Amino acid sequence: MKVLVIGAGNMGLTYSEGMSQSPLLGKHNLKIYDTDPNKISTLRENPNFDVYESLEDCLPKADIVFIAVKPYHSESLFEDMKPMINQQQIFVSLMAGVTIDTIQDQLGAKKVIRTMPNLPAKVGKGVTSYTESEAVSRVELLMARNLLDTTGTSIHVDTEKYIDASTGISGSGPAYVFYFMQSMLEAAQKMGFSDYDSKVLVSNTFEGAIELFNQSNISPESWINRVASKGGTTQAAIDSMEDNNVKQLIQEAAYAAFDRAVELGNDK
Ligand SMILES: NC(=O)c1ccc[n+]([C@@H]2O[C@H](COP(=O)([O-])OP(=O)(O)OC[C@H]3O[C@@H](n4cnc5c(N)ncnc54)[C@H](OP(=O)(O)O)[C@@H]3O)[C@@H](O)[C@H]2O)c1
C-alpha cells in the first residue's frame, strides 16, 4: 500500500510522522508533497518518507491520499489533481468544513473519507473522528483507520453532522483546555507564584486530574463531589463558576465551533 500526504504543514507532517512508524507501510511507501520549496528541502533530510515537489510524480502511484492543506487551498488543489486521479484511490481529507460532496464534485473521486483530527496527534494522543462515502469498502475503511490510529485513537461516525460536531468538541477542544490553563496560570501569577511555579502547579493539576479520570469509571461530576466538601474551598470555586454560568458558556463555545464548521461547509 502506497500512501501520499498532500500538505506538509502541522497536520500533514504529524500524520506522516505517525504513519511512518506503522508496520503497514514499508520504506518508500510513504510519500509527501508540498508546494513550499523551503519545506521540501527540510523534509528531504527526513529518511522516513519520500518527498515530492510535483504532483505528477507521486499522485498517480498512490493508493491512499491524505489531503492536509488549508480548506481555502482545496479548490485549486483539486483542479490540479483531477486529471491524475483514478477511481480506485481513496482520499482521506483532514480539512475542516469541506464536505464529502464537495470533494467528490471538485475532485471527481468516489472514495472519500472525511476526518476531524486534533492537535494532540502531534504527541500520539490525538483523536480523529471519521466517516466515509458509500463507495468506500469495509476493508478500505479499516485500512484508513489503522493509519489514522498511528496518531492516537479514532472514532467512526455515521454522518458528516458528527464530523462538524466533533470539530466543536475534539477538533477545537484543545484550545478550550489551553484557555482554561491560561486562566489558571494567570490566577496563580496574580497570587504571587513565579512563572515556573505557576506552570508546575497548573500542568500537574491537569495531568493528575486526567489520570484520575482515565483510571476510573467515575464521571467528572462525581470527582468534583469527591474533591469539594460542603462549605470548603473547592465548593467556593465551583459555586463561583456555577453562579457565572461557566458550564453553559463552555457549551455555547463548543456549539459556536460546531455551527462555524457547518457554515464553512455551506460556503464551499
Ligand atoms: N491545525 C489543527 O489543529 C487542525 C485541527 C483540525 C483540522 N485541521 C485541518 O488540517 C488541515 C491542515 O491544517 P494545518 O494547520 O496543517 O495547515 P498548514 O500548517 O498551513 O499546512 C498546510 C500545508 O499545505 C501546503 N499547501 C498549500 N497549498 C498546497 C497545494 N496546492 N499542494 C500541496 N501543498 C499545499 C502549505 O504550504 P504554504 O504554507 O506555502 O501555504 C502548507 O505547507 C486544514 O485543512 C485544517 O482545517 C487542522
Side-chain angles (χ1 to χ4, degrees):
M1 175 173 52
K2 290 185 168 45
V3 173
L4 167 67
V5 176
I6 299 184
N10 281 311
M11 280 297 148
L13 262 188
T14 295
Y15 277 77
S16 302
E17 294 284 7
M19 291 189 287
S20 70
Q21 307 303 319
S22 167
L24 290 175
L25 296 179
K27 220 170 161 41
H28 303 301
N29 283 340
L30 182 57
K31 302 168 194 310
I32 189 157
Y33 162 73
D34 198 285
T35 44
D36 179 346
N38 293 327
K39 279 203 186 102
I40 289 173
S41 50
T42 315
L43 285 170
R44 287 207 196 284
E45 289 158 23
N46 189 327
N48 288 334
F49 27 78
D50 293 344
V51 185
Y52 290 83
E53 49 193 319
S54 131
L55 263 182
E56 289 84 351
D57 293 339
C58 53
L59 179 56
K61 294 176 200 153
D63 303 304
I64 302 191
V65 181
F66 279 73
I67 301 165
V69 301
K70 293 281 191 204
Y72 54 80
H73 281 137
S74 62
E75 207 169 331
S76 68
L77 171 68
F78 291 158
E79 220 174 279
D80 293 343
M81 290 169 71
K82 200 170 182 172
M84 290 175 240
I85 67 155
N86 69 66
Q87 294 305 324
Q88 292 318 308
Q89 289 173 312
I90 303 159
F91 296 90
V92 182
S93 166
L94 302 177
M95 296 181 292
V98 185
T99 64
I100 290 179
D101 267 357
T102 301
I103 300 172
Q104 287 181 319
D105 284 354
Q106 294 181 356
L107 188 58
K110 286 204 179 77
K111 298 184 183 191
V112 177
I113 297 174
R114 183 179 160 199
T115 74
M116 176 42 57
N118 79 350
L119 202 56
K122 271 185 172 304
V123 290
K125 298 262 180 188
V127 54
T128 312
S129 55
Y130 65 99
T131 193
E132 73 287 2
S133 65
E134 255 181 59
V136 178
S137 73
R138 279 174 155 237
V139 174
E140 289 167 336
L141 198 60
L142 189 64
M143 233 156 46
R145 180 184 190 141
N146 284 332
L147 293 173
L148 294 173
D149 282 352
T150 60
T151 60
T153 191
S154 57
I155 60 162
H156 179 256
V157 296
D158 290 334
T159 65
E160 289 187 86
K161 177 187 156 195
Y162 290 101
I163 296 289
D164 292 326
S166 59
T167 308
I169 303 296
S170 53
S172 304
Y176 317 159
V177 176
F178 291 132
Y179 191 88
F180 204 134
M181 287 179 90
Q182 184 65 37
S183 311
M184 283 177 64
L185 273 175
E186 286 174 22
Q189 285 155 355
K190 274 188 198 149
M191 288 174 188
F193 289 103
S194 66
D195 288 357
Y196 178 81
D197 286 349
S198 302
K199 191 177 164 192
V200 172
L201 287 171
V202 171
S203 71
N204 284 282
T205 301
F206 270 79
E207 208 173 316
I210 298 286
E211 202 62 38
L212 283 173
F213 178 67
N214 283 342
Q215 288 190 11
S216 69
N217 278 324
I218 301 169
S219 68
E221 194 171 24
S222 304
W223 275 115
I224 292 174
N225 292 333
R226 285 184 180 208
V227 184
S229 54
K230 209 166 176 222
T233 56
T234 310
Q235 195 57 54
I238 298 295
D239 287 347
S240 165
M241 287 196 244
E242 292 280 293
D243 289 347
N244 287 296
N245 279 330
V246 173
K247 193 190 282 181
Q248 192 190 330
L249 294 178
I250 292 172
Q251 289 177 15
E252 279 177 23
Y255 268 94
F258 177 11
D259 293 344
R260 182 68 185 135
V262 174
E263 211 173 82
L264 285 171
N266 291 338
D267 284 352
K268 285 268 146 199

